[in-house]
């Protein structure tokens, strides 16, 4: 009886490990952009100075850690009803050194959104920009 249980446990462990790896890989490529209130709370909890305004047709959130380069961290998020308010561009993600620019227009999940910021600030905000 003992000899039959061990192979079953090993097989189950391998199966679960394989599934976990696949899920983990899929999660790494996913884009996650929390609601503005969640982003604001995350950044305030991390010690950022946050400014938020909502005009009704667009909301703007900006935050910085108040430091000078090279220790500067910051993020800017704009959500708008109109794609013209964001940018007249194709959906894209660009990255240069420590700054990320992410734009989506008429996206089924995120609508019209423009995000730019440093890697650390985006992480502190709870924003994950997949490929």
């Amino acid at each position: 009886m003992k000899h039959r249980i061990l192979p079953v446990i090993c097989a189950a462990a391998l199966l679960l490990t394989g599934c976990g790896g696949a899920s983990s890989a899929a999660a790494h490529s996913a884009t996650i952009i929390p609601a503005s209130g969640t982003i604001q709370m995350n950044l305030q909890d991390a010690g950022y100075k946050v400014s938020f305004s909502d005009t009704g047709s667009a909301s703007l959130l900006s935050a910085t850690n108040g430091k000078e380069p090279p220790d500067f961290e910051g993020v800017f998020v704009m959500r708008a009803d109109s794609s013209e308010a964001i940018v007249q561009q194709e959906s894209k993600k660009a990255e240069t050194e420590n700054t990320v620019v992410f734009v989506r227009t008429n996206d089924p999940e995120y609508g019209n959104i423009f995000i730019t910021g440093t890697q650390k600030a985006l992480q502190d905000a709870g924003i994950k920009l997949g490929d």
Side-chain angles (χ1 to χ4, degrees), residues 107-118:
D107 185 83
E109 187 170 355
Y110 298 111
N112 301 301
I113 190 163
F114 172 81
I115 300 171
T116 187
T118 60

Side-chain angles (χ1 to χ4, degrees), residues 42-127:
N42 290 345
L43 290 167
Q44 287 172 332
D45 289 349
Y48 288 75
K49 297 173 187 171
V50 180
S51 173
F52 179 78
S53 66
D54 190 344
T55 66
S57 61
S59 67
L60 306 169
L61 183 145
S62 62
T64 69
N65 64 355
K67 298 180 182 178
E68 296 294 322
D71 299 321
F72 173 82
E73 300 293 343
V75 65
F76 175 82
V77 178
M78 178 181 184
R79 299 175 196 251
D81 293 341
S82 165
S83 62
E84 288 82 25
I86 299 291
V87 190
Q88 291 295 332
Q89 294 185 36
E90 302 269 330
S91 296
K92 67 177 183 177
K93 177 186 173 197
E95 190 171 331
T96 56
E97 292 191 30
N98 190 30
T99 303
V100 174
V101 176
F102 179 86
V103 179
R104 290 288 187 264
T105 55
N106 301 315
D107 185 83
E109 187 170 355
Y110 298 111
N112 301 301
I113 190 163
F114 172 81
I115 300 171
T116 187
T118 60
Q119 292 283 357
K120 182 170 181 347
L122 293 172
Q123 180 181 0
D124 290 343
I127 297 171

